[in-house]
Amino acid sequence: MDSLVEQIERGTLWQFPGGVHPPEQKSLSNQLPIARLPLPDKIVLPLKQHIGANGQLLVNKGDKILKGQPLTKPSANWSLPVHAPTSGKILDITSAPSSHPSALPELSIIIAPDGNDMWCDLTPVDDITQLTHKQLVDILHSAGIAGMGGAGFPTYIKADSHQPIEYLIVNGVECEPYITADDLLMQEHATEIVQGIEIMQQLLKPQRVLVGIEDNKPQAIAAMARACEHNSAILVRTIPTKYPSGGEKQLIRVLTSKEVPSSGIPADIGVLVQNVGTLFAVSEAVNKGKPLIERVVTVTGNTIDKPQNVWALIGSEIKHLLDSQGFTPVAEQRVIMGGPMMGFTLPTVRIPVIKTTNCILAPDNRELVEPGDEKACIRCSACADACPQTLLPQQLQWFAKSKDFEKLEEYNLFDCIECGACSYVCPSEIPLVQYYRVAKAEIREQKLDQIKAERAKERFEARKDRLEQEQQERQNRHKRGASRVTKPEKEKAKVADALERVKQKQGDKSAVQAAIARAKAKKAADGSLEPDNSEVAKERAKRKEQARSYKEQKQSTEGTPANTDDKKDAVAQAIARAKAKKAAKLAEESTPNIEPEQAQPSSENDDPRKAAVAAAIARAKAKKAAKAEENTSSIEPEQAQSSSENDDPRKAAVAAAIARAKAKKAAKAEENTSSIEPEQAQSSSENDDPRKAAVAAAIARAKAKKAAKLAEESTPNIEPEQAQSSSENDDPRKAAVAAAIARAKAKKAAKQVEENTSNVEPEQAQSSSENDDPRKAAVAAAIARAKAKKAAKQAEQNAQATNTNDDLAQPMSELKQIDNALAEQSDSEQLTPEQKRQAAIKAAVAKAKAKKQAKEQEGNDPS
């Protein structure tokens, strides 16, 4: 099978679908050569005569112009300039009716010709082979050449195609009835047309150039064939007469069998189409330097006396052309711009000729019958059969009437070439093409409005963003201005920060110290701090050593009776020294226990009330230690005296046992007092609540009173018994046993008093909680402790006097009563809290009576 190029070279032609065969009526205007008209009285030159944007004006009202002078310059893409068709003067630049079915006003330049028809300076090109591609394109652009076959597409855009072009097709078909402008142009200017073809060959470099001419133009075919003999790449092809074979897409199908896709252009399939009139303008622009200022227009119709093709200046009014050819109007005369199939009726003959005007038709009523009223569609499908684009004209008409623009685009409305074949065959005389034109205009306007709306939205959003950004920048500037501070302020801020850091560190240290103090207090309260018993163990060892030395002295005394007096004196002195050491130790133990505990809370808390309480406690403890030393010193002379009076060693042992018992009792009383007072001091230093301070003071007073009563009761009851037992029994072993029994009973009595104290304390604490002043509570506690110490001291003195007067003689029955009392006290440990409370109250009453008797004895004492 032959390739496409071989088929084309052999002259093979193809058919396109649809099409009609209307009466040609070409013989009216092709019998005479092209005529040149006289200059018009006025030229109306629209700025927009093509597809694309208007040019920018270069002239003003009143300016003198020359023929061929550019009046505008390109200002945007697809923009072409317009040139002065003749020399003259610019009368005005205003809006005038456009060459459009709507005749909407367009900005136009009104020129008054001066009759001289004087050209401006032209720059023709002698050898086009010396020009570059860009230079040739610029010449076409500056000449203002647009497609002269119908649409008015800028020629320089086609000439600068970036897609490879395989076939360049020259459209000389001119299929529409009455129109013979291209036919006469090919007959008379075939050489210039071929020159234009060769210029396009240099720009596009196609493989083949195909010149299509209908078979009803034999003279034009012969002229073009003779002009193309020297160029073998140009092939002249005669095609059957059929309307609309002159359409761009239909001609491509006939000559190359290629089909342009929907919404596509011929360049997409490697084909480019140019009209013979456009190629003639290209040749004039390059070879002669003439811009596009005139063109061939067919003036025909039965109302024209001399139908003929004429050279019409761009901007000449239609009236000037009609008058020049002998126009004789009739009733209801119509003037059509274009052919009977694709032309449109002019609303006025004052519309100018533009670059795409190829025919002015002025028929009479018999020649071109006025269409009747529109009737209902009978669905004969004749329109669909005649459509060369294989569309559905009936469906498109329905969608156009209902303004369903989406459906119109879906059914490829813009593929319609507006050939009018459907309207021509419609039996219902429906103006289908008019519906399509209106719908296309509305869709274009709608899309333009959408584009404007989108651009307005973009501008609005851009403005909004800009305003927000400016506002944000202003806020940031205000913030930066507020954040700026002077140098002195910065220095002050640095000093303040340093002071704050120092305070924070001090606060951290105080917090650490407070935490340590609280931990110590908790351990002291819980009893988790174990007492150091090393000193007690040393003292115990010393006492054992003294006991052994005493036994050895006693044995030696019994063996040598001659030295009994000296030995007794030595024993008495040793006992006195031992008691003095014990008293000193008791004072040392009580004083150190007070000072650290009181010093610590006083250093931690700066409250003057707590400091006063701590000071009072310290003074009271110091007084107690001094009194204990006095008591010890008062006991030692008595014992020394008694030991000196009694030469019997047994009596000396009894006296020593009594002295040891008294010393232990005094030490235990001091320990109870010392253990109470630090706890109160610490609790009062930690708690700032005045009620808690009052409760602590009451508890301290209660413990002090109980300790005093214990000392008063236990001392007179135990000592006589021990004295008696020691005086009755001469055996030293028995004396030692009696002393141990006495110590055990004293410990049991102290324990019972502590239990009673724990039961009584809450009541007294509750009664004392009514006093809110911590200072008064502290003073009251100190006074109570002082009174208790004084009472204890007085009781000891009375006991010593009683023991001395009775000469250590007590009946055995009293010893039994004491044993029974101790047994009852030991049994009371198993009583209920209420019973213990009642027992404590009875004990307190008994102690009060004993105090009263002691006072009476003091009053009766003659000393």
Side-chain angles (χ1 to χ4, degrees), residues 509-723:
K509 290 181 180 180
S510 61
V512 172
Q513 293 176 356
I516 294 171
R518 286 195 297 272
K520 290 181 179 180
K522 286 181 180 180
K523 288 182 180 181
D526 297 339
S528 59
L529 290 176
E530 296 181 359
D532 188 6
N533 297 323
S534 60
E535 296 295 332
V536 177
K538 291 179 180 179
E539 292 296 330
R540 187 177 298 169
K542 289 181 181 180
R543 287 196 298 271
K544 290 181 179 180
E545 185 66 25
Q546 289 177 0
R548 285 195 294 271
S549 62
Y550 173 73
K551 289 181 180 180
E552 291 176 357
Q553 289 177 1
K554 185 177 179 181
Q555 291 176 359
S556 62
T557 302
E558 290 178 355
T560 56
N563 299 324
T564 56
D565 294 337
D566 296 335
K567 292 180 179 180
K568 288 180 180 179
D569 293 337
V571 171
Q573 292 176 0
I575 293 170
R577 285 194 299 272
K579 289 182 178 180
K581 289 181 180 180
K582 288 182 181 180
K585 182 183 177 184
L586 177 62
E588 290 176 359
E589 290 178 354
S590 61
T591 303
N593 292 331
I594 296 169
E595 292 175 355
E597 294 174 357
Q598 292 178 351
Q600 184 176 359
S602 63
S603 62
E604 294 174 358
N605 300 318
D606 296 333
D607 191 358
R609 298 180 180 180
K610 296 179 180 179
V613 173
I617 292 170
R619 287 194 297 271
K621 288 186 177 181
K623 289 180 181 180
K624 287 182 180 180
K627 288 180 182 179
E629 293 178 359
E630 292 176 359
N631 293 333
T632 305
S633 61
S634 63
I635 292 169
E636 288 175 355
E638 293 175 0
Q639 290 180 353
Q641 184 178 359
S642 61
S643 62
S644 63
E645 291 176 355
N646 298 320
D647 297 333
D648 191 358
R650 296 180 180 179
K651 293 181 179 181
V654 172
I658 293 169
R660 285 195 298 273
K662 289 182 178 181
K664 287 182 180 180
K665 289 179 182 179
K668 186 178 289 187
E670 292 295 332
E671 288 177 359
N672 294 331
T673 305
S674 63
S675 63
I676 293 168
E677 291 173 354
E679 294 174 359
Q680 292 177 349
Q682 185 174 1
S683 62
S684 64
S685 64
E686 292 176 357
N687 300 320
D688 295 333
D689 192 358
R691 295 184 179 180
K692 294 181 179 180
V695 172
I699 293 171
R701 288 196 297 273
K703 289 184 178 182
K705 289 180 181 180
K706 289 181 180 180
K709 291 177 181 180
L710 177 62
E712 291 176 0
E713 292 179 355
S714 60
T715 301
N717 292 331
I718 296 171
E719 289 173 356
E721 294 174 1
Q722 290 179 350

Side-chain angles (χ1 to χ4, degrees), residues 123-125 128 131 136-137 139-141 143-148 153-156 158-159 168 185 191-204 272 274-294:
T123 56
V125 177
I128 63 172
L131 297 177
L136 280 174
V137 171
I139 291 173
L140 301 179
H141 191 192
I145 302 173
M148 300 172 71
F153 197 84
T155 303
Y156 84 95
K158 287 187 175 181
L168 174 62
L185 184 63
T191 304
E192 288 84 355
I193 295 172
V194 172
Q195 290 176 356
I197 293 172
E198 291 175 351
I199 293 171
M200 295 303 294
Q201 279 183 307
Q202 183 175 341
L203 290 170
L204 301 174
L272 193 143
Q274 288 289 359
N275 183 265
V276 291
T278 305
L279 294 173
F280 175 80
V282 169
S283 174
E284 292 289 301
V286 175
N287 296 325
K288 297 179 181 180
K290 294 181 179 181
L292 180 57
I293 58 173
E294 61 181 0

Side-chain angles (χ1 to χ4, degrees), residues 495-518:
V495 172
D497 293 339
L499 293 174
E500 186 65 24
R501 288 194 296 272
V502 171
K503 288 181 180 179
Q504 187 175 3
K505 289 181 180 180
Q506 291 179 353
D508 295 339
K509 290 181 180 180
S510 61
V512 172
Q513 293 176 356
I516 294 171
R518 286 195 297 272

Side-chain angles (χ1 to χ4, degrees), residues 197-216:
I197 293 172
E198 291 175 351
I199 293 171
M200 295 303 294
Q201 279 183 307
Q202 183 175 341
L203 290 170
L204 301 174
K205 296 179 174 55
Q207 295 180 6
R208 294 289 185 274
V209 177
L210 303 176
V211 181
I213 304 172
E214 278 187 327
D215 54 8
N216 61 356

Side-chain angles (χ1 to χ4, degrees), residues 11-72:
T12 305
L13 299 175
W14 290 266
Q15 296 292 326
F16 64 89
V20 293
H21 295 84
E24 297 180 2
Q25 299 293 336
K26 291 182 181 290
S27 60
L28 293 174
S29 58
N30 63 0
Q31 302 302 319
L32 297 173
I34 302 172
R36 189 165 293 277
L37 300 177
L39 290 175
D41 297 333
K42 184 176 69 171
I43 293 177
V44 180
L45 193 63
L47 299 185
K48 183 176 180 181
Q49 303 179 34
H50 57 279
I51 293 176
N54 295 343
Q56 185 178 356
L57 282 168
L58 297 176
V59 293
N60 296 316
K61 180 180 178 181
D63 291 348
K64 298 274 186 180
I65 57 173
L66 297 175
K67 187 176 182 178
Q69 178 182 342
L71 304 180
T72 63

